[in-house]
Amino acid sequence: MYISKSSSVVLLVSFLCLVVLPVKSSNGCGYDACNLGDPNKLNVHIVPHTHDDVGWLKTVDQYYYGARNNIQHAGVQYILDSVIHSLEENPDRRFIYVEIAFFWRWWNQQTNDTRSKVKNFVNQGRLEFISGGWCMNDEASTHYNSIIDQHSLGAEFLRDQFGECARPKIGWQIDPFGHSREQASLFAQMGFDGLFFGRADYQDIDRRTQTKTRELIWKASANLDRRSWLFTGVLPNGYSPPGSFCYDIFCDDPPIMDDPRLHDYNVPERVETFIKAAHDEASSYATNHIIMTMGSDFQYENANQWFKNLDKLMKYVNAQQTNGSDVNVFYSTPSCYLYALNKVGRTWTSKTDDFFPYAHHPRGFWTGYFTSRPALKRYERLSNNILQVTRQLNAFSKTNLRGSIFPLNEAMGIAQHHDAVSGTEKQEVAFDYAMRLSQGIDVAVDVINKAYDKILPLDSKTPPSAPQFLCQLANISECLPIEGQDRFTLILWNPTVHTISHYVRVPVTKDYTVRDPSGHAIVAEMIPVSESTQRIPGRKSFALNQLVFKTILPALGFSTYYFEIKATENNNNNNEKQVLVTHNSECILQNEYLRVEIDCQGNLNKITNLKKKIVVPFSNQGFYWYGSYPGNNSGSEFQASGAYIFRPISSDPEPVSSKRSITCVKGQNFQSAIILFNNWASQEISLYDDAKMVEVEWTVGPIPVYDNIGKEIILRYDTDIQSDSKFYTDANGREVLERIRDYRPTWNYSKVEPVSGNYYPINSRIWIKDSNRQLTVLTDRSEGGASIQDGSIEIMLHRRTLYDDALGVSEPLNETAFDAGLVVRGKHLLIIESSTSSALYHRVASQRFYMNPLATYALPPLSYADYSTTYRQAWSALQTDLPLNVHLLTFDQIDTNKYLIRVENYFELHEDDTYSHPVIVDLQKLFQSQGVISDIAEMILTANLRITDMKRLEWVTTDNRSSKIDVKKDLSLKDLNILLNPMEIRTFLVTVE
Amino acid sequence: MYISKSSSVVLLVSFLCLVVLPVKSSNGCGYDACNLGDPNKLNVHIVPHTHDDVGWLKTVDQYYYGARNNIQHAGVQYILDSVIHSLEENPDRRFIYVEIAFFWRWWNQQTNDTRSKVKNFVNQGRLEFISGGWCMNDEASTHYNSIIDQHSLGAEFLRDQFGECARPKIGWQIDPFGHSREQASLFAQMGFDGLFFGRADYQDIDRRTQTKTRELIWKASANLDRRSWLFTGVLPNGYSPPGSFCYDIFCDDPPIMDDPRLHDYNVPERVETFIKAAHDEASSYATNHIIMTMGSDFQYENANQWFKNLDKLMKYVNAQQTNGSDVNVFYSTPSCYLYALNKVGRTWTSKTDDFFPYAHHPRGFWTGYFTSRPALKRYERLSNNILQVTRQLNAFSKTNLRGSIFPLNEAMGIAQHHDAVSGTEKQEVAFDYAMRLSQGIDVAVDVINKAYDKILPLDSKTPPSAPQFLCQLANISECLPIEGQDRFTLILWNPTVHTISHYVRVPVTKDYTVRDPSGHAIVAEMIPVSESTQRIPGRKSFALNQLVFKTILPALGFSTYYFEIKATENNNNNNEKQVLVTHNSECILQNEYLRVEIDCQGNLNKITNLKKKIVVPFSNQGFYWYGSYPGNNSGSEFQASGAYIFRPISSDPEPVSSKRSITCVKGQNFQSAIILFNNWASQEISLYDDAKMVEVEWTVGPIPVYDNIGKEIILRYDTDIQSDSKFYTDANGREVLERIRDYRPTWNYSKVEPVSGNYYPINSRIWIKDSNRQLTVLTDRSEGGASIQDGSIEIMLHRRTLYDDALGVSEPLNETAFDAGLVVRGKHLLIIESSTSSALYHRVASQRFYMNPLATYALPPLSYADYSTTYRQAWSALQTDLPLNVHLLTFDQIDTNKYLIRVENYFELHEDDTYSHPVIVDLQKLFQSQGVISDIAEMILTANLRITDMKRLEWVTTDNRSSKIDVKKDLSLKDLNILLNPMEIRTFLVTVE
């Protein structure tokens, strides 16, 4: 269903009037509302909760409405209806709710009466929003920009509708399959006091259970010190109730049958069993407080069943105190449990590594989803690029159409879910996620047009230019609307705060003169669209060529390139002469900085950093496949490789072919080697004129499965770098963690899976290094990867399995399109540098990679002369670039004169001599085109609390370090130069005049 | 779990203070509260309902609590919680509730607040009790006494808690498997205005659908004329919603997705589909009103899901009226639907036969359950006998312990359920029904003791006698407490209003002198316990003999027989001499009235009525078996014989053996032939001294299944009676219907199953006849039977199947005990008479058969001399017997001076020259021991409304006869002589001074 623009706008009115003032928590909610139990008893915190996947086996809206219950019985509308009623029935009852994507859907449909009831529950601390993101995001395949956005989206809704009592204070990542350190760090920056999750490696849990260290202080950043510390707890039963105490409609456990006049009276047995369960659980935890998570997936559809039995159970269990029982049980929330632990006043162990990879049994490493559904993973990343650009255009043009950005923002919020971008949903649901992004982009394009309508005309009376449109299939050299046109424009918006040079490829059916913003015809080389691209199923374009040219784009601004058909075809020939194409010959790509040597058999043999005189020889670089372990859904020995799990049949991957063909294309600004490994795997290695890195565009698919073997395709870079078992991967696009093969920092690791057990998420980069060399690979999306041999980096690109891995999705991960396996294309950027100078390149490049210039096309009816006198062809929001280590993470117009911004120093400590240092930014410079900043408030990361009001609980580690930090001071309007420490993000609400 | 007496009493206090005054229905409830729709539209009555089996796959209490949800997800407590909340949410919503066994359990646990809410809903007509029995009783295997009791139990509760607004007015037999005419007649007498059911023979439904006669006037009695007429409707979809409109948690139909901002918006499609469904249904019904039953088994556990979607559906469907739609849909109830039909003012077709047998497809005749679980069926009948005697003893002794009779009354109410006495429940549930009856009897025995404590002592200062106890295993000659005792007493309470002679068999390990109430030692013959009885698995008795003697019992009174061990063992020998035992010789049993000829091979050859000179030769009388059709739960061709279905492999049953052995026992008062067919089938044919009928005690089991063939055992009586395809069976122990082989009175019957399709329920009797002879067989429980050949009666006694018949119970009907098939024993009484004189015998005998004297034993420490001077040994509540055609159906002490009684003329019209006529009873005579009647009110059958206030709706049949009858007048205290027409039951609330 297409969301009409008007309705999309309407649905936003309810909560977009963001007013963020410091609000004191009332006495009725927050920690003040907690029952802290009895210090002399074993206190059991009963936490009724539901875990509502924002799409998985059904789409988010099917889950919301309870449609398609034949797939999975689940209807969130009924859960919320039902819980609210149950809270009315007994003031002792409490409930937590997590996924605001669902809550928002429900809230939109409620009467004022119901809303008022709900507000009362929130104000009394009886309904508590936990985590409060739009979804419970995946931690392995998400980018920090979108994690922050999705949490901010939920936080904004809660703040607007409920105020401070609804501000989430606890991370609740109960289901995600491994836990990222960056996620914890972001939670700390969101003002959270703690984090609970349900899944951790079975070996890790075993050790922590034995040592009573399932609860700890996670030191979640190597840069932010105590500002990143987060109390973290591994929940006792995943996120389920203890055995035989599930009272949901999905459960068959015995209800409390307490009428002695009826048959099967079971109160004494139930009480005894519960008291034993409490003692059993207490034996794994450090204090006399334990938590019981009373709920699970889509539970509480009939909350009465849960609460009615819990009420009785708790009454009868506590009644045993008069008989000497030490068990004290009461309704609670994760916050209250956390607060009770805090009040115990003990010290806690800490850790600095993360919780990847996650295995639930020796053969069950959840490392497949790092790569599962690579096309969706890329589309999600691209959608964020479009979202951020749209926000900037809306804000810098002061178009104030935030409501029309909401659908894309919402779709992105949904896409962060741990069964969305993770790739672990059913195929139909994956389609729905993609459709939501697509619909969101469609509405965003309207905003882009409204913005350009304001920015482009030189004269305010000028009518708007022809509409801008995206060419989203440009990666397969297809842009149908421009095909055959005599003239068109290309506008590129650069969303970074730095002027950049940027190469563009435009698929064309004719040859064109391309004029830059100053009117100069620039060098635009016509190179052929490769045959493998032409063969991609579904490609509709007739374009056999693409124009490649270099653009220079101003910071936070745009340049327009005007295309006019060349008068004579002869010119075309002239151009062709300049591009040399050879087949199956040696191909040396070289520019001022780099030399890439590929032999006539298509082998990448060497890359040399000419300036630094660093040589990295490669051997056997290329595509390999692991066979996917088949399974029968029973027992760990039969664990199949599937959407979640990566389990190769053999640890030695097979090369996809024994020989390759190579086409070498050399132009003036551009050289590339197109290497076909077979009819389903190829790479194009490109070097642009002034590029300091090598681009590898890989194309994989349709993965053949005629042999009934699922296959998981990697691209491997084998070098002679002496990497000494170590490799490095980023967390969510920010800090990088050291990985050591067959090793875990916090427990004695028993290796069973030599490949899968060494895979880690790559959200933006992976590297290996030795004393003087570092090979860094940047990715355009999240992928899984590892270094299985010293000197080798392997990155999993694409997967096609024939068995379900028995974790619920009940489908093999078998993506198809056009009656064959799905073809996926993507890019790696290779950086060959010394390890001390690598950061400069990978930090800058990775920010530009995810925040790419946005190309929009238009078909103006005007000649260049008319166009250039009517419309602005270049513009920048900045007078000068900001410092290189500054990134503009968010620039969002909230209201006429109000903006939400986030600025970031995206370098880590100690990685670059120049940039790994604090940097100063003058915020007024960012607003020079908006006006004078008249009010400014620094906010916590999610922008739902002034940072001066953030007071996190104090924790002490076993080495007697306290988590306490000084409260930040308010910013003065007199000095808008703010300092950004390495890896620091600062968030501001700005009002301009 | 044993129900303690005190708690049993407590739970009754809430509703046993029965005050029945005429109450006018308030304007808010009843027909006044009905929406009658729009005369120019198709009016769709939406009836939200749940169908809650009072035990089936789980026990009633497991269903109530929602325990054992692994067997079946169902929890009635949540249904009622949930419905009440949903009714609060929207005043348009309505709901009906049926099974008071569940409602009572729930009501007991509610707060006053909730009760008050519920009362409001009832008073507003929004919650309507339909049918309102303790359960929805089976119609094929129930006895009218217990149908009336179970409906009265529910009606009393409703009346007491809610008043007139809660009085049920509609029969709602949506699930029972065939429908009895007597049930309809009783409903009419309960003041019901109509009856709806879901199941009828598929051929019948097809014809009625084509002719739009699914709704009709059932003329339900051959005796009561218009007082028995009942509007009857066959519901459109069984009792389910139309396809794709089920919104229960058990259903997967699409919810109404009406937020256009979300994906899958489906309002137009849902509305269109509903309107089509309404028109489709309307095409099968006669008026512009149709009913949609929105619910099913145990639905509405989360009522919100149903109502929320129904609210939306109805809103959007009715909105289409502005676009010309003729569909008008609204919440309604069966009463309101009925009332709307009544207001249409048309005439209706009628019928006089019943709805037996029921087939849902050509191979699916639901005639197996007429016999399934014969032991449970007998225990249920016996329990009623005990219940009625306990009531009489409580009442006549003015013990006023009605609360202690409640557990048995409640257990009987539950046992009437259509998956209880029907035998179609899981084995564990059958055990629970039996346990409930057993527990009820245990508490009733306390009442019996309290009553005898008041009645027995001759002097009020005398301490109570030794406690009375039952010997419930007397049918296998076991009574352990008296074994080896030197003395004991036997008290026999005669619950009929006529003096009777009655033979008793007492199992003994010693010989005793037996004294009658006047102290005379009577003839008590010692006869051996048969070897086959001794071998019955589980029999613990050491008794090898039984004393047989004749007793004379006063009407509504008792006689005590005192047993004293004989001084010398020699006497024993003397006694033995009097009893002649022969083996495998001819055996002629003969008394003044009858001669039974059995040859030396054990063949019953002839029975002669000596007085009437009527001879009936028999051939091949004995046991036969049908093989049970095996099945695989798929499709009608694979229909298995099972708990519900009787489907023989062959239409020719096999004899159980080729030869027999016979033991002939002849005493002074008693003669019998014990005929062993094999080691699992035998019969004992007995003739008592002054008996006018022959007793056949059959013993069947363990049915062998070593050949992997299920077996269904019949006892067949083949005679030369020229029965001309006709036979006669009773309905629920009252009126008898003519059955014609391979024929249905109301449609052109296509025969597929020659045996099973001719089976009918036998609740008390079956006969065949020709011009001057009638063979009547009386049964001691409900059994299935037929006449498959002229002159033949076959009665199915016992069944053991190895396949489930795929109708939900998911178990073969394979009753076992002591590691073998269950052994079952029972009695037939054979009457050989002319057809014109048979009624006298079978009417009287069948009443005495179900209302047998109750034997209680005691072990008084007193010698006979002391006993007889201390305790009363005989007593009668009557000075003289009541007329022979009068039956005292109910005698129940409600409160100190209040009694509920039912008296009945149990003869049909035209069946007996003397007794098929109105008879006069002086009610004061019944109360001579209670006091003078100071107030009396005639009530409807269920005693919840004065008969003077009963105003049933008027219906007109197509032959222009109106159902209207004159309202009865109040009874005058001056003339307590009441008239009972044939088959009339009259109910009175009596106050005495």
Side-chain angles (χ1 to χ4, degrees), chain B residues 481-627:
Chain B
I482 61 171
E483 281 190 17
Q485 300 291 342
D486 288 350
R487 58 173 85 88
F488 60 90
T489 57
L490 164 63
I491 300 184
L492 291 152
W493 178 272
N494 170 18
T496 73
V497 291
H498 315 117
T499 304
I500 60 171
S501 76
H502 175 69
Y503 276 86
V504 181
R505 296 188 184 193
V506 178
V508 290
T509 52
K510 298 179 175 173
D511 198 5
Y512 295 88
T513 301
V514 182
R515 292 179 196 280
D516 71 11
S518 60
H520 295 111
I522 58 170
V523 176
E525 295 176 281
M526 182 85 94
I527 61 161
V529 171
S530 71
E531 283 185 27
S532 64
T533 297
Q534 291 180 36
R535 281 202 307 265
I536 287 175
R539 183 174 183 268
K540 296 195 187 78
S541 175
F542 291 101
L544 301 177
N545 292 288
Q546 44 197 341
L547 283 170
V548 182
F549 56 95
K550 177 178 174 178
T551 64
I552 303 293
L553 308 176
L556 290 179
F558 72 90
S559 296
T560 302
Y561 290 83
Y562 187 97
F563 290 65
E564 194 167 27
I565 194 165
K566 284 191 176 169
T568 62
E569 290 295 312
N570 291 344
N571 288 347
N572 211 352
N573 296 337
N574 290 342
N575 193 344
E576 276 178 5
K577 278 173 199 159
Q578 293 162 25
V579 176
L580 288 173
V581 179
T582 61
H583 295 285
N584 296 328
S585 312
E586 187 188 46
C587 188
I588 308 293
L589 318 176
Q590 185 168 343
N591 67 11
E592 186 182 353
Y593 306 103
L594 291 165
R595 176 182 167 92
V596 181
E597 296 173 39
I598 304 162
D599 68 18
C600 62
Q601 287 159 337
N603 297 303
L604 170 64
N605 284 339
K606 191 191 288 180
I607 301 179
T608 307
N609 181 325
L610 299 168
K611 293 277 184 194
K612 302 276 176 69
K613 298 193 170 52
I614 293 172
V615 180
V616 175
F618 288 79
S619 58
N620 306 314
Q621 184 273 347
F623 297 97
Y624 296 80
W625 62 272
Y626 290 104

Side-chain angles (χ1 to χ4, degrees), chain B residues 624-871:
Chain B
Y624 296 80
W625 62 272
Y626 290 104
S628 310
Y629 204 93
N632 64 2
N633 281 5
S634 71
S636 69
E637 277 311 300
F638 298 96
Q639 177 65 60
S641 207
Y644 298 92
I645 303 293
F646 166 40
R647 184 185 178 191
I649 296 171
S650 158
S651 299
D652 295 316
E654 298 279 331
V656 302
S657 65
S658 54
K659 58 180 186 176
R660 311 159 181 192
S661 71
I662 175 171
T663 300
C664 193
V665 180
K666 293 204 169 187
Q668 203 173 326
N669 292 322
F670 161 84
Q671 308 157 52
S672 80
I674 300 163
I675 305 163
L676 262 66
F677 285 66
N678 59 27
N679 62 358
W680 57 268
S682 63
Q683 61 183 358
E684 179 172 356
I685 302 177
S686 301
L687 190 64
Y688 293 93
D689 188 32
D690 53 0
K692 296 189 177 85
M693 52 204 74
V694 178
E695 179 183 297
V696 179
E697 185 177 66
W698 49 265
T699 306
V700 174
I703 300 173
V705 289
Y706 306 112
D707 54 2
N708 286 320
I709 298 174
K711 293 180 187 64
E712 329 217 4
I713 314 304
I714 60 169
L715 187 52
R716 203 169 73 192
Y717 302 94
D718 289 354
T719 71
D720 68 347
I721 291 170
Q722 303 297 311
S723 57
D724 193 21
S725 296
K726 292 178 182 165
F727 56 109
Y728 300 83
T729 59
D730 70 304
N732 309 107
R734 297 194 88 220
E735 296 186 15
V736 171
L737 284 85
E738 182 181 82
R739 311 299 187 181
I740 302 176
R741 192 160 59 251
D742 298 334
Y743 174 81
R744 300 289 186 265
T746 51
W747 79 90
N748 195 359
Y749 176 64
S750 304
K751 180 177 80 168
V752 176
E753 285 285 340
V755 176
S756 179
N758 283 308
Y759 261 62
Y760 289 88
I762 303 167
N763 301 111
S764 64
R765 75 208 81 187
I766 179 173
W767 71 69
I768 52 175
K769 65 179 183 178
D770 58 17
S771 57
N772 64 337
R773 299 179 299 172
Q774 177 168 325
L775 166 64
T776 308
V777 183
L778 303 186
T779 65
D780 60 349
R781 75 198 72 187
S782 291
E783 293 168 344
S787 171
I788 301 298
Q789 303 290 334
D790 282 356
S792 170
I793 288 174
E794 65 178 58
I795 299 177
M796 189 174 288
L797 304 176
H798 195 7
R799 318 176 66 219
R800 189 178 184 194
T801 78
L802 302 176
Y803 292 85
D804 172 54
D805 53 7
L807 294 163
V809 74
S810 296
E811 281 181 4
L813 181 71
N814 186 357
E815 294 180 287
T816 59
F818 305 101
D819 294 329
L822 186 67
V823 181
V824 184
R825 171 169 280 181
K827 281 182 187 168
H828 288 165
L829 296 180
L830 311 188
I831 301 168
I832 306 288
E833 267 293 345
S834 69
S835 78
T836 52
S837 57
S838 284
L840 175 61
Y841 297 99
H842 69 70
R843 286 287 164 203
V844 172
S846 75
Q847 295 308 89
R848 291 184 185 169
F849 211 179
Y850 97 85
M851 206 44 59
N852 221 19
L854 185 73
T856 54
Y857 294 83
L859 304 173
L862 306 180
S863 68
Y864 180 75
D866 289 345
Y867 186 88
S868 60
T869 53
T870 312
Y871 296 110

Side-chain angles (χ1 to χ4, degrees), chain A residues 1-3 7-8 10-12 59 61-62 64-71 73 77-79 81-82 85 88-89 104-106 108-110 117 247-265 301-302 304-306 308-309 312 432 435-436 439, chain B residues 1-3 7-8 10-12 59 61-62 64-71 73 77-79 81-82 85 88-89 104-106 108-110 117 247-265 301-302 304-306 308-309 312 432 435-436 439:
Chain A
M1 192 208 60
Y2 180 76
I3 298 178
S7 68
S8 309
V10 167
L11 88 166
L12 279 182
T59 71
D61 288 332
Q62 288 163 357
Y64 173 68
Y65 266 121
R68 307 289 300 276
N69 272 359
N70 56 323
I71 296 172
H73 184 99
Q77 61 166 330
Y78 310 123
I79 294 174
D81 288 348
S82 164
H85 174 59
E88 281 186 278
E89 299 264 291
W104 170 79
R105 279 164 167 71
W106 182 79
N108 286 340
Q109 299 174 352
Q110 300 314 300
K117 277 181 200 167
Y247 299 117
D248 200 69
I249 60 167
F250 299 129
C251 297
D252 298 337
D253 292 341
I256 307 297
M257 295 186 273
D258 60 342
D259 189 335
R261 299 168 296 193
L262 306 185
H263 285 189
D264 302 346
Y265 177 80
E301 202 171 293
N302 189 2
N304 174 52
Q305 188 166 333
W306 255 114
K308 193 174 187 180
N309 285 287
K312 290 178 181 178
D432 186 70
M435 181 162 65
R436 287 173 187 280
Q439 291 168 341
Chain B
M1 192 209 61
Y2 181 77
I3 299 178
S7 67
S8 311
V10 167
L11 87 164
L12 278 182
T59 70
D61 288 331
Q62 287 163 357
Y64 173 68
Y65 267 120
R68 306 288 301 273
N69 272 359
N70 56 324
I71 297 172
H73 184 99
Q77 60 166 332
Y78 310 122
I79 295 174
D81 288 348
S82 162
H85 173 60
E88 281 186 278
E89 299 264 291
W104 170 79
R105 280 166 167 70
W106 182 79
N108 287 340
Q109 300 173 351
Q110 299 314 302
K117 278 181 199 166
Y247 299 117
D248 200 69
I249 59 166
F250 299 129
C251 297
D252 298 336
D253 292 343
I256 307 299
M257 295 185 273
D258 60 342
D259 189 336
R261 301 168 294 194
L262 306 186
H263 285 190
D264 302 346
Y265 178 79
E301 203 171 292
N302 189 2
N304 174 52
Q305 187 167 335
W306 255 114
K308 191 173 188 180
N309 284 286
K312 291 178 181 179
D432 186 70
M435 181 162 64
R436 287 174 185 282
Q439 290 168 340

Side-chain angles (χ1 to χ4, degrees), chain A residues 250-360:
Chain A
F250 299 129
C251 297
D252 298 337
D253 292 341
I256 307 297
M257 295 186 273
D258 60 342
D259 189 335
R261 299 168 296 193
L262 306 185
H263 285 189
D264 302 346
Y265 177 80
N266 68 353
V267 171
E269 181 277 324
R270 290 283 81 203
V271 166
E272 188 185 342
T273 305
F274 183 86
I275 288 174
K276 181 173 183 313
H279 287 142
D280 286 352
E281 185 182 325
S283 71
S284 307
Y285 286 84
T287 77
N288 65 331
H289 288 268
I290 59 172
I291 185 172
M292 289 187 181
T293 47
M294 294 306 201
S296 191
D297 294 8
F298 296 99
Q299 292 200 357
Y300 287 78
E301 202 171 293
N302 189 2
N304 174 52
Q305 188 166 333
W306 255 114
F307 280 113
K308 193 174 187 180
N309 285 287
L310 284 178
D311 285 355
K312 290 178 181 178
L313 177 68
M314 291 159 66
K315 179 178 82 175
Y316 295 122
V317 167
N318 286 340
Q320 286 304 308
Q321 290 177 16
T322 59
N323 297 330
S325 164
D326 67 339
V327 173
N328 184 37
V329 54
F330 46 88
Y331 284 116
S332 186
T333 67
S335 321
C336 289
Y337 172 62
L338 182 85
Y339 191 55
L341 293 181
N342 184 267
K343 287 288 169 195
V344 166
R346 72 191 297 277
T347 63
W348 304 87
T349 60
S350 61
K351 75 174 256 171
T352 59
D353 61 324
D354 64 2
F355 288 91
F356 283 119
Y358 162 57
H360 66 308

